[in-house]
Amino acid sequence: MNDTAFPRSSARTLADDGDRLHFCSTCAFSQACLDEGMDKAALMDLHVLVEHVGPLRAGEHVFREGDPFEAIAAVRAGTVKTYVIDRDGREHVLGFHLPGEVIGLNAIDGESYPCNAVALDTVMLCRFSFPKIAVLATRVPGLQRQLFRLLSRDIGRAALLAGDWAADQRLAAFLLGLSRRLAARGFSPNRFALTMARTDVANYLRLAPETVSRVLKRFQTEGWLRVDRRELELLDRDAIEALAAPVLRG
Amino acid sequence: MNDTAFPRSSARTLADDGDRLHFCSTCAFSQACLDEGMDKAALMDLHVLVEHVGPLRAGEHVFREGDPFEAIAAVRAGTVKTYVIDRDGREHVLGFHLPGEVIGLNAIDGESYPCNAVALDTVMLCRFSFPKIAVLATRVPGLQRQLFRLLSRDIGRAALLAGDWAADQRLAAFLLGLSRRLAARGFSPNRFALTMARTDVANYLRLAPETVSRVLKRFQTEGWLRVDRRELELLDRDAIEALAAPVLRG
DNA sequence: CGAACACTTGACAGCCCTCAACGTGAGTGG
DNA sequence: CCACTCACGTTGAGGGCTGTCAAGTGTTCG
């Protein structure tokens, strides 16, 4: 069995929504391409390349490790978790991908995806055949530049949390990073819901779930935030920023 | 003061060595581009783009954090260490770059280099203006593809050591990775010299230097390797591979 | 020859993981 | 509507790995 939505995208692809000239405004590609000064014709070329995938429900996979690599995708709605399972059965979370962010970039070097990607809630995607978008990038320098930047950014992002930081520093950096990325997409920066389980956060920050619980509790008793189940409110941003500063290279 | 070789490359650039058609055979670009089937004209275009930089002596910087980003570079000889210093003065090593590998890719997304790059021994570089190589990549699909792959590979590499592994697993993976990369460049896989200090290894693996010493000693008493100062010989590859397997996703 | 540096070795402490038990809320079926 | 189940999350106790501190050894270089 292979219950991934991606390789069989045609079965899951939605019909075009009819608004051919209105690109998803938060998309990592069109947004930045407009900034780059891409003309309308180039944007149109990009648009005809898109396949809208979804909605995927929580727990459904976008792709799995070993699936043949054919496409990258921008998250349009929801949260995607990328992860691997090591031979001891432990899960390592590589990242959480919010609307506007791109998944699959680490698969370009190779024949198949090196990790799994799963929807944490209801997810909508814009799928781009990589061979096709690469060809388009040779004709549209702004698109090529944008792809280079996205790839380069992911290198830095992967290196960020690789350092050896204390548990509270890592959690503070995680929460602050989430807040900033949500804010950049127009969501509230101080009040948001965690779409992932404590275990996911722990496997991302290489902590035990118990440690995540304890640190969150400590933050709450310090008055820095309020957390109820997966609802979260940042009360003292400065305190959290002070903790996270060395991690985020602030 | 800014004693980096890179921004002022003209002062340090060597004259062309006269062998215009013989590209450095281990270069990450020409090697792979030939595999891609780049024609001679395209290779020539790439060749005229190259500036040979060096030799740099141990301790000299290729670029420093904050220097304006203009170029990436392939290591032709020697070892380059990339690192950052956090606000507490602790050094975090991002990577060691051997001949044939490329530095500066994490700077593409941004105006300036996000890290320092220093020569650990005598280093020779091939410098490529990034704007120019990007333009060339629009005309030479094989070059664009190669750039995408290099970037994508670095994402995976950064994620590799980000997991939470025991000290001996991380050190085993480090030694094995080094061995494989050296072997791919034609060096002996079982007998080589560490070009970096114990402290550098420690800062790369986020361990204390003392821990690196102790683990190396344990490996030696187990009969897995022999280490004398910076000379290293792997005696029981299987044992080391067994330790490193979960890290390297073997 | 002396000083600086890299590396090693030992003792100790602390952070965080492991193990275990409990609490809580959501979904399910009777 | 309620009891049940189960996954998720929390809380507590104890231990191990590795960092910190300190001192000692060896090497390289001036």
Side-chain angles (χ1 to χ4, degrees):
Chain A
M1 80 163 197
N2 189 340
D3 52 345
T4 57
F6 229 42
R8 318 186 161 166
S9 62
S10 56
R12 286 305 214 61
T13 301
L14 291 180
D16 190 283
D17 52 16
D19 189 2
R20 299 188 65 86
L21 283 176
H22 178 64
F23 228 55
C24 1
S25 62
T26 57
C27 169
F29 293 105
S30 65
Q31 184 63 28
C33 292
L34 286 170
D35 296 346
E36 288 275 338
M38 270 176 60
D39 56 23
K40 265 192 180 164
L43 255 185
M44 199 65 183
D45 287 338
L46 188 56
H47 193 188
V48 299
L49 221 63
V50 179
E51 299 174 48
H52 285 181
V53 178
L56 276 64
R57 283 164 303 180
E60 288 191 283
H61 276 74
V62 183
F63 51 77
R64 290 183 186 270
E65 184 175 353
D67 283 352
F69 169 65
E70 288 161 6
I72 59 178
V75 178
R76 193 158 58 137
T79 310
V80 173
K81 173 181 81 170
T82 48
Y83 69 99
V84 295
I85 305 288
D86 69 24
R87 54 173 52 187
D88 300 333
R90 296 191 309 172
E91 174 181 290
H92 298 252
V93 173
L94 302 184
F96 302 104
H97 305 266
L98 306 180
E101 299 174 346
V102 176
I103 60 176
L105 294 177
N106 60 346
I108 294 175
D109 177 50
E111 302 296 314
S112 57
Y113 294 97
C115 64
N116 305 280
V118 65
L120 293 184
D121 47 10
T122 302
V123 163
M124 306 279 285
L125 296 170
C126 293
R127 181 185 193 274
F128 298 85
S129 154
F130 186 72
K132 288 182 185 171
I133 203 173
V135 168
L136 182 57
T138 62
R139 292 197 292 109
V140 184
L143 177 59
Q144 187 198 63
R145 177 175 173 80
Q146 177 64 4
L147 281 168
F148 282 148
R149 296 181 86 102
L150 288 171
L151 279 154
S152 177
R153 192 174 308 166
D154 268 17
I155 299 175
R157 189 163 290 183
L160 253 192
L161 282 174
D164 63 329
W165 310 103
D168 49 3
Q169 291 178 299
R170 281 214 284 277
L171 193 53
F174 171 69
L175 294 177
L176 211 54
L178 215 52
S179 163
R180 289 179 183 173
R181 286 151 69 197
L182 287 169
R185 271 75 187 179
F187 297 95
S188 164
N190 291 325
R191 196 182 170 85
F192 52 88
L194 299 172
T195 48
M196 66 292 291
R198 300 282 190 276
T199 306
D200 292 330
V201 178
N203 290 341
Y204 178 58
L205 302 176
R206 48 169 194 274
L207 298 171
E210 295 92 329
T211 304
V212 173
S213 250
R214 278 185 258 264
V215 173
L216 274 180
K217 170 139 205 174
R218 192 184 337 140
F219 284 0
Q220 181 156 313
T221 60
E222 297 274 358
W224 297 348
L225 53 77
R226 203 180 53 72
V227 57
D228 172 54
R229 301 189 50 74
R230 297 199 181 172
E231 293 295 325
L232 198 135
E233 183 174 11
L234 303 183
L235 299 174
D236 189 346
R237 250 189 122 77
D238 292 342
I240 299 175
E241 265 170 0
L243 253 187
V247 183
L248 301 178
R249 320 229 50 232
Chain B
M1 82 164 195
N2 189 340
D3 52 344
T4 57
F6 228 43
R8 318 186 160 164
S9 62
S10 55
R12 287 306 216 58
T13 301
L14 292 179
D16 190 284
D17 53 16
D19 189 2
R20 299 190 64 89
L21 282 176
H22 177 63
F23 228 54
C24 3
S25 61
T26 56
C27 169
F29 293 105
S30 65
Q31 184 63 28
C33 293
L34 286 170
D35 296 346
E36 288 276 338
M38 270 177 59
D39 56 24
K40 265 193 180 164
L43 255 186
M44 198 66 181
D45 288 338
L46 188 55
H47 193 189
V48 299
L49 220 62
V50 179
E51 300 173 48
H52 286 180
V53 177
L56 274 64
R57 282 165 304 180
E60 288 191 283
H61 275 74
V62 183
F63 51 77
R64 289 182 186 272
E65 183 175 353
D67 284 352
F69 169 65
E70 289 160 5
I72 60 179
V75 178
R76 193 159 55 137
T79 311
V80 173
K81 173 182 80 171
T82 47
Y83 69 99
V84 295
I85 305 288
D86 68 24
R87 55 174 52 189
D88 300 333
R90 295 191 310 173
E91 175 180 289
H92 298 252
V93 173
L94 302 183
F96 302 104
H97 305 266
L98 306 180
E101 299 175 347
V102 176
I103 59 175
L105 295 176
N106 60 346
I108 294 174
D109 177 50
E111 302 295 315
S112 57
Y113 293 98
C115 65
N116 306 278
V118 65
L120 293 183
D121 48 10
T122 302
V123 163
M124 307 280 285
L125 296 170
C126 293
R127 181 185 192 273
F128 298 84
S129 155
F130 187 71
K132 288 182 185 172
I133 204 174
V135 168
L136 182 57
T138 62
R139 291 198 291 110
V140 184
L143 177 59
Q144 188 198 64
R145 177 174 172 80
Q146 178 64 3
L147 281 168
F148 282 148
R149 295 181 87 101
L150 287 171
L151 279 155
S152 178
R153 192 174 309 165
D154 268 17
I155 299 174
R157 190 163 289 181
L160 253 192
L161 282 173
D164 64 329
W165 310 102
D168 50 2
Q169 290 179 300
R170 280 214 284 278
L171 194 52
F174 171 70
L175 294 177
L176 211 55
L178 215 52
S179 163
R180 289 178 183 172
R181 286 151 69 198
L182 287 169
R185 270 75 186 179
F187 297 95
S188 163
N190 291 325
R191 194 182 170 85
F192 51 88
L194 299 172
T195 49
M196 66 293 290
R198 300 281 190 278
T199 307
D200 292 329
V201 178
N203 290 340
Y204 178 58
L205 302 176
R206 48 171 195 275
L207 298 171
E210 295 91 330
T211 304
V212 174
S213 250
R214 278 186 259 263
V215 174
L216 274 180
K217 170 140 208 175
R218 192 185 335 142
F219 283 0
Q220 181 157 307
T221 60
E222 298 274 359
W224 296 350
L225 52 77
R226 202 180 54 73
V227 58
D228 172 52
R229 303 190 46 74
R230 296 198 182 172
E231 292 296 324
L232 198 136
E233 184 173 12
L234 304 184
L235 299 174
D236 189 346
R237 249 189 122 78
D238 292 342
I240 299 176
E241 263 169 1
L243 254 187
V247 183
L248 300 177
R249 322 229 48 233

